[in-house]
């Protein structure tokens, strides 16, 4: 596993955006797996700047997002659909029909099966990931089987507490989500995981040095042949779980 230490979020964003740029330029039909949350925000900012400077064209890019909250309308300001539009999709020339996001409303079980079929026929060239303080990737919480594909999951209290910063109260944070499974994530040719801050140090230490275990879902990445971890010094401390 390659580990790249960066000084700050902006540096991480510029670094990862350049890798994405190469993936887009190297393929006639690049397929990207995308994440939401704080970790990739700077990456999207740099991609938008590249597009505005005519360095990057999203015309032929296809995207698949990792996850979406259950029961949240796409127009809700905390939906991941809304997040992606705000930070990337509405600001570049991507074809809307090439954007794929799991749906958190309607017949979610059926829709998650359909999403899974799409993922299985359209492999990602590059998957961008963040990591939860409990070691989740996408919303695969501790205990999720490594073989799991797209599914509906009950969010850990720790995840809901971490994400309550985006809501008014903890009660407002959805209790469930629809997420790509660990098997879907492992299907990507290349994976980049971005993490910053001390709150991620325990999970990063487990990922890099811990035993492979479903108790820390990110440790499945130890088996992937092409993973790069982009982290700051705070996330690189060998922290104990608190
Ligand atoms: C988001 C996702 C999550 C986040 C993780 C870290 O699509 O799949 O796994 O990457 O919860 O979130 P941040 O980046 O907000 O710390």
């Amino acid at each position: 596993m390659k580990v790249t230490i960066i000084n700050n979020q902006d540096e991480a964003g510029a670094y990862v955006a350049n890798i994405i740029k190469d993936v887009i330029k190297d393929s006639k039909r690049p397929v990207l797996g995308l994440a939401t949350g704080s970790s990739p925000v700077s990456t999207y900012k740099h991609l938008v700047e590249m597009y505005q400077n005519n360095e990057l064209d999203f015309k032929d890019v296809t995207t698949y997002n990792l996850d979406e909250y259950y029961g949240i309308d796409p127009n809700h300001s905390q939906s991941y659909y809304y997040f992606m539009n705000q930070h990337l999709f509405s600001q570049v020339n991507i074809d809307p029909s090439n954007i794929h996001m799991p749906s958190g409303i309607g017949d979610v079980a059926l829709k998650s099966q359909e999403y899974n079929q799409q993922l299985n026929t359209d492999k990602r060239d590059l998957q961008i990931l963040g990591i939860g303080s409990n070691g989740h990737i996408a919303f695969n919480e501790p205990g999720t089987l490594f073989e799991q594909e797209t599914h509906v999951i009950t969010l850990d209290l720790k995840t809901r507490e971490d994400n309550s910063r985006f809501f008014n109260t903890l009660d407002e944070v959805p209790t469930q989500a629809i997420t790509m499974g660990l098997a879907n994530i492992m299907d990507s040719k290349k994976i980049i995981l971005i993490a910053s801050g001390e709150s991620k140090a325990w999970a990063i230490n487990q990922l890099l040095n811990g035993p492979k275990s479903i108790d820390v879902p990110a440790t499945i990445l130890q088996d992937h042949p092409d993973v790069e971890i982009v982290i700051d010094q705070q996330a690189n401390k060998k922290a104990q779980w608190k």
Side-chain angles (χ1 to χ4, degrees), residues 135-142 144 148 151 153 179-182 185 217:
H136 74 217
I137 47 175
F139 274 139
N140 294 283
E141 299 286 25
T144 306
Q148 182 71 58
H151 61 294
I153 189 143
T179 182
M180 269 194 211
L182 296 167
I185 292 171

Side-chain angles (χ1 to χ4, degrees), residues 34-41 65-68 80 128-134 136-140 159 162-163 165-166 179 185 194-196 199-200:
L34 299 178
T36 56
S38 305
S39 305
V41 167
N65 261 80
L66 286 171
D67 39 24
E68 179 59 282
Y80 285 167
I128 302 298
L129 294 178
I131 188 169
S133 60
N134 64 356
H136 74 217
I137 47 175
F139 274 139
N140 294 283
T159 299
D162 287 349
N163 288 3
R165 68 190 191 279
F166 299 114
T179 182
I185 292 171
I194 309 166
S196 66
S199 65
K200 303 295 173 71

